[in-house]
């Protein structure tokens, strides 16, 4: 599956009111999540989420247990967030972050804020004016430099996340 920068720029993260109103069984949940997040997968054959992953999130209390084996919109919102964040955060950090957000926002408000921020981050990273445009790095040397630059940005952003997590509960961030 080849994903172009334009596809990432055009990506629309489904907002809370766009998630299915009806409750879903686990296989349906997997289809919805897979359909919406497969654009971010490295490998088409690797699933974004599996039943065992969902069961582990429930066991680790990151996700509420389903009611009568059915999952609702809130479950889907949590799963979208978990699937995105697990690339760069531990499950414990995700759980703590969700719990902190829940103190200030409803699930719908927090989830929609998350969707907005993901789209903004994609726009920032893949916008045409930016130096990191996948199509511009077809030459091996340029691709190597872009890879190192992206890894450095990932590292810097993960340090920022660590610092923000450490500062939870404090009124100001010291830089």
């Amino acid at each position: 599956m080849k994903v172009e920068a334009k596809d990432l720029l055009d990506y629309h993260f489904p907002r809370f009111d766009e998630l299915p109103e009806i409750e879903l069984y686990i296989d349906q949940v997997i289809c919805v999540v897979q359909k919406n997040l497969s654009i971010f997968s490295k490998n088409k054959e690797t699933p974004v989420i599996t039943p065992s992953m969902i069961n582990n999130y429930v066991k680790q209390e990151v996700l509420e247990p389903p009611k009568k084996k059915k999952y609702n919109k809130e479950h889907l919102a949590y799963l979208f967030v978990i699937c995105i964040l697990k690339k760069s955060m531990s499950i414990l950090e995700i759980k703590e972050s969700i719990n902190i957000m829940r103190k200030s926002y409803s699930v719908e408000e927090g989830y929609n804020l998350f969707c907005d921020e993901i789209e903004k981050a994609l726009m920032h990273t893949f916008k045409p004016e930016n130096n990191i445009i996948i199509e511009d790095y077809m030459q091996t040397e340029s691709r190597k430099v872009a890879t190192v630059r992206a890894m450095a940005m990932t590292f810097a952003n993960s340090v920022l996340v660590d610092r923000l997590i450490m500062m939870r509960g404090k009124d100001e961030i010291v830089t």
Side-chain angles (χ1 to χ4, degrees):
M1 176 169 96
K2 185 177 178 188
V3 177
E4 302 292 333
K6 182 182 179 335
D7 298 328
L8 295 167
L9 284 168
D10 293 340
Y11 180 75
H12 172 74
F13 215 106
R15 298 311 192 263
F16 194 80
D17 64 348
E18 297 170 323
L19 297 175
E21 292 289 334
I22 60 170
E23 293 185 335
L24 305 173
Y25 288 106
I26 198 164
D27 57 329
Q28 296 167 310
V29 168
I30 290 169
C31 286
V32 170
V33 173
Q34 187 72 33
K35 177 184 172 207
N36 284 281
L37 298 183
S38 64
I39 190 170
F40 303 115
S41 294
K42 288 183 193 178
N43 182 342
K44 188 178 181 180
E45 279 72 47
T46 304
V48 172
I49 195 160
T50 64
S52 62
M53 288 177 185
I54 294 173
N55 290 330
N56 284 334
Y57 302 146
V58 171
K59 284 179 191 171
Q60 295 174 2
E61 299 178 347
V62 183
L63 185 67
E64 291 288 321
K67 291 176 178 57
K68 297 181 182 179
K69 297 186 179 185
K70 289 189 177 182
Y71 297 83
N72 59 32
K73 288 172 81 155
E74 287 192 8
H75 288 107
L76 281 173
Y78 276 76
L79 287 169
F80 277 108
V81 171
I82 293 165
C83 287
I84 292 293
L85 294 181
K86 71 181 181 181
K87 288 180 171 258
S88 58
M89 296 173 71
S90 72
I91 293 301
L92 178 61
E93 290 170 327
I94 294 169
K95 179 181 177 180
E96 290 172 354
S97 297
I98 289 171
N99 289 339
I100 294 292
M101 289 292 288
R102 289 283 306 173
K103 290 179 182 176
S104 301
Y105 300 99
S106 68
V107 172
E108 180 176 357
E109 291 169 331
Y111 174 73
N112 287 339
L113 173 64
F114 181 80
C115 294
D116 290 341
E117 293 303 318
I118 290 292
E119 288 176 0
K120 287 177 191 174
L122 290 169
M123 289 295 286
H124 174 75
T125 302
F126 294 98
K127 66 184 175 184
E129 310 84 69
N130 200 324
N131 289 333
I132 303 175
I133 300 174
I134 295 171
E135 289 82 4
D136 290 347
Y137 293 103
M138 291 307 173
Q139 295 175 335
T140 304
E141 205 53 41
S142 295
R143 203 170 40 237
K144 287 177 185 172
V145 170
T147 302
V148 171
R149 185 176 298 141
M151 289 187 308
M153 288 172 55
T154 299
F155 170 74
N157 282 310
S158 71
V159 170
L160 174 62
V161 168
D162 289 345
R163 295 302 180 267
L164 292 171
I165 288 171
M166 287 173 17
M167 299 302 293
R168 284 187 177 140
K170 296 185 180 181
D171 292 332
E172 52 187 61
I173 298 173
V174 179
T175 56

